[in-house]
Amino acid sequence: MKDRCEHQQILCIGELLIDFFCSDIGVNLAEGSHFIKQAGGAPANVAAAIARLGGVAAFAGKVGSDPFGDFLIQTLNEVKVNTDLIVRDTSALTTMAYVSLQSDGERDFMFNRGADGNFVTQDLPLAKLREAAIVHFGSATAMLGGDYLEAYFDFMIKAREDKQFVSFDPNYRSSLWGNRTEEFINLASKGISLADFVKVSEEELQLISGSEDLNIGVTELHRLGAKVIAVTLGKNSTLISNGTDHATIPSISIKSIDSTGAGDAFVGAVLVQLSQISNQGIANLTFEDWKVMIRFANQVGAIVCTKVGAIAALPTYDEVVEWNQ
């Protein structure tokens, strides 16, 4: 690849929250008695993946002035994510999600939104936003509404205007959006229109594009404005497209134990590679360069699936190299 440089800063913007996973087997939340606390939030997972792989990652968001907020900041600090841009909210508790896996295989889910929805434009100084070469926007909750929604797109528009590299992952969760699917599609389409790199799952591609055909769906996302698109297809492969060329990169064959956070690790692995390339260099990347990066990202995502826990399962760069040998 061209124009290699030292790792530039990547700023991840979105939610940081507590996930309470019910460890009782085959029950709903009403029946569950035992819960395991974990740090959650897709963009926070991306930041952690970047830092674990040797990149320079910062996270911007809001948590409560409570013990759970302390825990989340400590968790990111432990993997060397810069947490200086995390704001503490004295008026709301840290956002929490509760999940159990029922006997029919469906997840019982309850979401208690708190501080993350109160992040406002003034909480992130423009000078700090501009320090990042790459800005990643992850959104399981940021687009749900509240003050954060306006701030979220303010940041994205400013990053685009300042010619920073913009990454976007819409992170659709049906349990969060309910009957507001059209609203999600409209907001995700806006994010895609502002992004240089877009990562979506196959479900998200079909939902946003309105087509079950992968090629038609990818063409629609390019039409909206996305420069490069990665569609993760689970255990099968990842489709990569730059609008001119497209290819499917095979996934790594593994015995999956827990796929939580694999998509976020994939995104982090792509961005950490881009952070070693100048902005001009990114613009000049060949399609073959992108295929190489996607292969590495597939490896990182696969490793995460072999362990339990989104952040706890994240590998270092040396572990990826060793695992690949």
Side-chain angles (χ1 to χ4, degrees), residues 166-303:
V166 175
S167 167
F168 177 60
D169 183 352
N171 284 304
Y172 176 71
R173 301 288 184 270
S174 59
S175 51
L176 289 177
W177 286 93
N179 60 4
R180 299 167 58 195
T181 303
E182 284 301 318
E183 185 179 350
F184 167 81
I185 293 171
N186 291 334
L187 291 170
S189 298
K190 182 177 180 179
I192 290 166
S193 74
L194 296 167
D196 297 290
F197 174 70
V198 174
K199 178 266 178 188
V200 289
S201 67
E202 185 173 13
E203 176 193 14
E204 290 161 350
L205 178 67
Q206 293 174 352
L207 184 65
I208 296 166
S209 69
S211 174
E212 294 186 1
D213 185 291
L214 287 178
N215 291 327
I216 293 175
V218 168
T219 299
E220 172 61 15
L221 266 57
H222 281 304
R223 187 195 67 78
L224 288 171
K227 304 292 190 303
V228 178
I229 300 164
V231 185
T232 51
L233 304 171
K235 65 181 181 180
N236 296 318
S237 59
T238 299
L239 187 152
I240 179 73
S241 171
N242 64 2
T244 302
D245 300 300
H246 70 273
T248 52
I249 310 301
S251 297
I252 311 300
S253 180
I254 48 129
K255 181 178 180 181
S256 180
I257 295 174
D258 179 11
S259 62
T260 304
D264 302 327
F266 172 92
V267 174
V270 172
L271 297 183
V272 77
Q273 294 174 88
L274 291 173
S275 74
Q276 289 185 282
I277 307 168
S278 68
N279 285 348
Q280 184 60 43
I282 292 176
N284 292 330
L285 286 173
T286 68
F287 189 63
E288 288 303 313
D289 291 332
W290 277 101
K291 287 165 66 176
V292 169
M293 289 192 291
I294 296 302
R295 288 191 188 97
F296 177 80
N298 278 354
Q299 291 174 351
V300 173
I303 292 173

Side-chain angles (χ1 to χ4, degrees), residues 15-237:
E15 77 276 3
L16 177 60
L17 50 81
I18 297 287
D19 280 324
F20 282 106
F21 293 98
C22 183
S23 58
D24 300 324
I25 298 173
V27 300
N28 59 30
L29 289 174
E31 298 165 336
S33 300
H34 303 91
F35 292 83
I36 299 172
K37 175 188 67 179
Q38 290 188 355
N45 292 338
V46 172
I50 292 164
R52 286 283 289 165
L53 290 167
V56 180
F59 180 84
K62 184 170 279 190
V63 297
S65 295
D66 53 42
F68 290 140
D70 295 340
F71 166 75
L72 291 171
I73 292 174
Q74 178 184 341
T75 299
L76 290 185
N77 282 334
E78 286 174 351
V79 293
K80 302 190 183 330
V81 173
N82 186 320
T83 58
D84 292 347
L85 299 178
I86 297 178
V87 180
R88 307 301 294 268
D89 193 334
T90 58
S91 65
L93 298 175
T94 297
T95 298
M96 290 174 276
Y98 303 83
V99 185
S100 71
L101 186 62
Q102 302 176 102
S103 56
D104 60 1
E106 294 296 317
R107 290 181 180 269
D108 192 14
F109 179 85
M110 189 176 79
F111 184 62
N112 185 8
R113 195 174 197 193
D116 89 282
N118 296 336
F119 199 70
V120 296
T121 304
Q122 294 81 0
D123 285 329
L124 177 57
L126 186 56
K128 292 296 183 182
L129 176 64
R130 286 173 171 161
E131 286 180 3
I134 298 171
V135 189
H136 172 68
F137 295 85
S139 177
T141 71
M143 297 193 301
L144 286 174
D147 293 332
Y148 204 176
L149 176 59
E150 180 179 353
Y152 189 77
F153 283 107
D154 279 350
F155 299 142
M156 197 177 291
I157 290 168
K158 287 173 181 174
R160 187 60 181 265
E161 289 174 347
D162 287 335
K163 296 183 171 30
Q164 293 164 285
F165 187 90
V166 175
S167 167
F168 177 60
D169 183 352
N171 284 304
Y172 176 71
R173 301 288 184 270
S174 59
S175 51
L176 289 177
W177 286 93
N179 60 4
R180 299 167 58 195
T181 303
E182 284 301 318
E183 185 179 350
F184 167 81
I185 293 171
N186 291 334
L187 291 170
S189 298
K190 182 177 180 179
I192 290 166
S193 74
L194 296 167
D196 297 290
F197 174 70
V198 174
K199 178 266 178 188
V200 289
S201 67
E202 185 173 13
E203 176 193 14
E204 290 161 350
L205 178 67
Q206 293 174 352
L207 184 65
I208 296 166
S209 69
S211 174
E212 294 186 1
D213 185 291
L214 287 178
N215 291 327
I216 293 175
V218 168
T219 299
E220 172 61 15
L221 266 57
H222 281 304
R223 187 195 67 78
L224 288 171
K227 304 292 190 303
V228 178
I229 300 164
V231 185
T232 51
L233 304 171
K235 65 181 181 180
N236 296 318
S237 59

